[in-house]
Amino acid sequence: MMVLIMRRRSLIALALASSCTTPTEMADTQDDSRTDHHSYANFEDARVTHLDLDLDVDFASRKLRGSAALQLEGAADRLVLDTKLLTIERVETSSDGATFSETSFDLGDADPVLGAPLTIALNGADRVRVHYATGPDATGLQWLEPHQTAGKKAPFLFTQSQAIHARTWIPLQDTPAVRATYAAEIRTPKDVLAVMSAEMRSGAARTGAYRFEMPQPIPSYLIALAVGDLVFEPMSERTGIYAEPAVAKAAAAEFEDTESMMTAVEKLYGPYRWGRYDILVLPPSFPFGGMENPRLTFATPTVIAGDKSLVSLIAHELAHSWSGNLVTNATWRDFWLNEGFTVYLEERIQELVYGPERAAMETVLEVEGLKEEMASLDDRDEILHVDLAGRDPDEGFTGVPYVKGAMFLRTVEKIVGREAFDPFLRGYFENFAFQSITTADFVRYLQANLLDDRPAAAEKIDIEEWIEQPGLPERRHEPVSDAFEKIEAQAAEWLAGTAPAEALPAGGWTTQHWLHFLRTLPDELAAGRMAELDRAFRLTSSGNSEILCQWLIMAVRNDYAAADPALAKFLTSVGRRKFLKPLYEELAKTEQGKRRGLEIYRAARPGYHPIASNTIDGILDWPG
Ligand code: BES
Ligand code: ZN
């Protein structure tokens, strides 16, 4: 699935950026890297400023059908939009927004990753309206049968637009460089509720006709819709849960600290600018942990552990309200500006709400995970300012933009001190609010507002190495956790046979202690030792998705057959790619494992989201 749409301008930029340059030179040469290799849109000629969606949600045919009306700024003869697997019925233009007349259009050849450009003759008009329907294989939509939901009564639909899937359900300029406001009218069957990443204007009564408005300009990847048997459970004045009736109360209890998290970020980085912050808990097939859709984070139910131990996910998605949604990566190669900053903010929130010890443990776990992942990554994927030209961004994203990105910021923070770094970041969010920026924009801002005045500090930070080179710079801040050092000593004793499993002081261990303990153990563990741990701690029946996943990876690796039914159950009931990927990868390492993997996958695959099955198809060489 390789596509090559490198433009000449960016080839030059790449050649320049890869030679040895000072940070200032780098910031200058990178101006060219504003090119978005993942969009056909001619947004430099005509830019969409507002979108009006009008859609019917048809569960029977698994289609969205209706129209998208776009308001434009700038004069151009033609408008090129991104589409993928859409059926375009007709296109109209208008100059007053009231009368529309039909215009000619051309749907180009489809690329398997990017979809097809839709070229529309504008003839001086500044509005277009596209009448269309989605296709059965739209990768941005997942249609669920009632039996795939918690309540088993109503069907469910949700969208996932990031990175480039918005174009599979809306024809638009699908690039994070373009921001638009939007309004939507959504019609559904009467027994379900529709929610969007916008203000609900029609109220929560189930009328089957819902109205939404997003008054702040957002990039296309943040447009989101979900429809299902949803109820609302308030948490605070401005936070609440949308979920199926069976999970709403548990979710509200799990996430009750959301308001404290908001207060914590606001104190550090300025006011929350989006009005409400609600969380939509999706069915377990949701392919991600969370998605930061503005005003309405989408979240996996697998973080409802019963003890708030996995709520850093909420801290993360909430933090995106600043890093990502307010200040947005201009192209997907600048993705680390979204995720690295967000992981950094997430840690700051966790520290303020749950204390430095928990924050440190979570950070160490992330860094351990990154180092493990980097052992098998190509050099090119270890670069923050990653080159994704010709690649599917879904397959190009790794832990690097997240954890190496956060490590870079943490290193700068340690060098200049929080007294300087906190106001700097606050100023960054203020300065670039509602803008889409490149890595070079950030580098310039960092120099002008933090480093130029601090030559001694600047001396210690090799920006070019952090941003353009693979690996982790020698001079970096490594997180440490005292609690984890104790765990390592205890694990060593158990391994050496000096203490039996029952003697481990696990009574006081949290999820993070457990994860570190399990990851500290060697890859190879005799079946008897696995059984000993399982007898003492019932790991195979853990209700904590992170612990269970880690344990199941170990079980596959060590052929611990007693965990096989739990493995099959987990893989068929959960669709979160982060869990599926390492488990199927581990299975695929042996012939027998691969056979078992394929057997489980055959049954599980119909329940997975296309984004997840796409990944697993590759791991198992799925013949389909
Ligand atoms: N924005 C991401 C999810 C995403 C990234 C979707 C790229 C599609 C393409 C979201 O904020 C995220 O990072 N989610 C993580 C959880 C987080 C705690 C690291 C996830 O889903 O695992
Ligand atoms: Zn994120």
Side-chain angles (χ1 to χ4, degrees):
M1 280 228 288
M2 290 293 279
V3 284
L4 268 176
I5 42 156
M6 258 287 217
R7 293 173 198 169
R8 201 158 49 93
R9 260 168 18 124
S10 58
L11 271 174
I12 297 164
L14 271 179
L16 288 172
S18 62
S19 63
C20 211
T21 46
T22 67
T24 317
E25 283 162 358
M26 189 176 64
D28 292 343
T29 58
Q30 279 171 2
D31 268 357
D32 256 9
S33 60
R34 240 162 242 286
T35 309
D36 185 345
H37 293 282
H38 297 103
S39 172
Y40 293 109
N42 62 335
F43 57 89
E44 263 152 32
D45 308 329
R47 188 175 277 262
V48 174
T49 57
H50 180 79
L51 157 73
D52 278 300
L53 266 182
D54 186 280
L55 293 174
D56 282 302
V57 179
D58 184 1
F59 282 101
S61 66
R62 297 192 152 197
K63 273 186 178 154
L64 299 177
R65 164 175 271 122
S67 65
L70 307 169
Q71 283 177 38
L72 309 169
E73 190 181 79
D77 303 339
R78 51 181 204 118
L79 177 71
V80 185
L81 299 179
D82 292 297
T83 74
K84 189 172 175 182
L85 304 166
L86 297 180
T87 304
I88 307 298
E89 285 160 5
R90 99 193 117 86
V91 182
E92 301 159 309
T93 57
S94 167
S95 297
D96 59 6
T99 48
F100 281 85
S101 52
E102 207 155 332
T103 190
S104 59
F105 67 90
D106 172 66
L107 194 59
D109 289 343
D111 171 274
V113 174
L114 303 180
L118 172 64
T119 305
I120 299 167
L122 281 181
N123 311 319
D126 63 357
R127 284 156 213 259
V128 303
R129 188 160 66 194
V130 183
H131 297 263
Y132 70 100
T134 59
D137 298 320
T139 47
L141 303 175
Q142 192 178 18
W143 300 88
L144 298 176
E145 300 286 344
H147 75 88
Q148 294 170 288
T149 67
K152 320 269 180 229
K153 285 203 307 259
F156 203 103
L157 163 72
F158 66 87
T159 66
Q160 167 57 44
S161 298
Q162 198 181 14
I164 54 169
H165 302 284
R167 65 190 68 175
T168 70
W169 67 285
I170 311 171
L172 39 53
Q173 296 181 326
D174 198 10
T175 165
V178 172
R179 316 178 71 98
T181 54
Y182 81 88
E185 305 246 357
I186 307 290
R187 285 169 299 281
T188 71
K190 283 216 167 73
D191 59 340
V192 285
L193 181 71
V195 291
M196 289 192 85
S197 55
E199 189 182 339
M200 197 184 252
R201 298 306 292 266
S202 45
R206 297 196 184 186
T207 58
Y210 305 98
R211 242 170 4 92
F212 303 90
E213 247 171 69
M214 169 46 77
Q216 289 99 334
I218 58 164
S220 56
Y221 76 88
L222 294 176
I223 305 175
L225 165 71
V227 182
D229 180 13
L230 295 170
V231 293
F232 179 71
E233 186 71 37
M235 295 191 293
S236 70
E237 269 301 271
R238 56 178 177 167
T239 70
I241 299 290
Y242 286 97
E244 287 193 73
V247 285
K249 287 243 156 38
E254 194 81 16
F255 304 144
E256 68 179 358
D257 299 329
T258 306
E259 178 64 43
S260 315
M261 291 181 176
M262 287 180 83
T263 320
V265 213
E266 287 189 306
K267 211 174 79 195
L268 285 169
Y269 306 119
Y272 179 76
R273 312 243 207 157
W274 307 90
R276 295 194 57 83
Y277 179 75
D278 294 318
I279 298 165
L280 169 68
V281 180
L282 288 142
S285 70
F286 184 56
F288 296 107
M291 178 63 215
E292 66 271 27
N293 298 315
R295 292 179 69 101
L296 185 63
T297 279
F298 282 23
T300 170
T302 63
V303 288
I304 305 174
D307 59 2
K308 302 184 186 174
S309 65
L310 304 178
V311 298
S312 62
L313 178 108
I314 302 301
H316 179 99
E317 303 313 335
L318 170 67
H320 273 306
S321 309
W322 286 259
S323 44
N325 300 3
L326 194 58
V327 181
T328 306
N329 51 212
T331 78
W332 295 115
R333 72 177 304 195
D334 307 301
F335 183 58
W336 79 276
L337 293 178
N338 276 17
E339 298 300 343
F341 280 65
T342 297
V343 170
Y344 174 79
L345 263 58
E346 169 195 335
E347 186 194 359
R348 298 296 301 270
I349 298 172
Q350 290 296 96
E351 184 185 313
L352 284 167
V353 179
Y354 300 103
E357 188 170 320
R358 165 135 167 214
M361 290 193 288
E362 291 175 338
T363 304
V364 172
L365 286 170
E366 281 162 5
V367 171
E368 282 171 359
L370 174 69
K371 289 181 180 165
E372 198 180 310
E373 186 183 9
M374 278 175 50
S376 51
L377 280 185
D378 274 8
D379 269 8
R380 62 172 188 173
D381 286 331
E382 292 185 0
I383 295 170
L384 284 181
H385 191 217
V386 61
D387 180 10
L388 292 172
R391 302 172 72 189
D392 181 347
D394 277 345
E395 303 302 321
F397 295 150
T398 67
V400 170
Y402 288 79
V403 184
K404 182 179 173 182
M407 194 179 243
F408 174 34
L409 298 180
R410 220 174 281 126
T411 301
V412 177
E413 179 223 283
K414 293 292 175 224
I415 291 171
V416 302
R418 283 189 176 176
E419 332 66 78
F421 196 65
D422 289 356
F424 162 76
L425 266 193
R426 192 190 177 103
Y428 164 81
F429 292 128
E430 178 66 40
N431 186 69
F432 292 114
F434 299 110
Q435 293 182 40
S436 301
I437 68 166
T438 62
T439 298
D441 292 328
F442 165 68
V443 169
R444 260 192 301 270
Y445 188 84
L446 173 69
Q447 283 167 334
N449 295 281
L450 194 69
L451 300 182
D452 283 354
D453 291 345
R454 295 177 178 76
E459 183 70 12
K460 298 186 186 136
I461 305 162
D462 188 338
I463 301 179
E464 198 274 343
E465 186 185 7
W466 274 104
I467 289 176
E468 303 289 348
Q469 304 296 323
L472 297 175
E474 207 57 49
R475 197 174 226 150
R476 62 174 187 265
H477 178 75
E478 278 282 343
V480 282
S481 154
D482 298 339
F484 280 2
E485 283 166 15
K486 287 196 201 114
I487 292 280
E488 285 155 33
Q490 288 153 358
E493 277 185 41
W494 176 72
L495 278 172
T498 41
E502 293 77 19
L504 287 165
W509 288 359
T510 66
T511 298
Q512 286 70 37
H513 293 90
W514 267 111
L515 290 173
H516 188 66
F517 174 77
L518 294 176
R519 289 183 196 168
T520 292
L521 299 176
D523 280 358
E524 275 176 42
L525 218 52
R529 306 240 62 193
M530 291 288 292
E532 183 194 343
L533 282 178
D534 208 6
R535 260 195 318 275
F537 305 115
R538 311 233 149 275
L539 292 160
T540 301
S541 41
S542 174
N544 184 296
S545 59
E546 292 281 351
I547 295 175
L548 182 61
C549 180
Q550 185 61 40
W551 175 249
L552 292 174
I553 293 171
M554 295 167 60
V556 174
R557 202 177 271 159
N558 293 293
D559 232 344
Y560 178 58
D564 182 75
L567 171 72
K569 180 166 172 244
F570 189 65
L571 289 175
T572 37
S573 56
V574 170
R576 187 173 170 190
R577 188 170 62 166
K578 173 185 164 188
F579 294 147
L580 306 183
K581 189 166 177 267
L583 284 166
Y584 282 110
E585 274 171 353
E586 203 55 54
L587 282 162
K589 282 182 186 166
T590 67
E591 211 165 291
Q592 179 203 337
K594 191 165 175 184
R595 234 177 295 126
R596 181 67 180 129
L598 277 165
E599 193 172 60
I600 297 173
Y601 190 47
R602 195 159 295 124
R605 192 176 183 278
Y608 291 166
H609 189 284
I611 290 177
S613 51
N614 214 353
T615 303
I616 311 305
D617 284 356
I619 295 172
L620 293 178
D621 308 314
W622 178 250

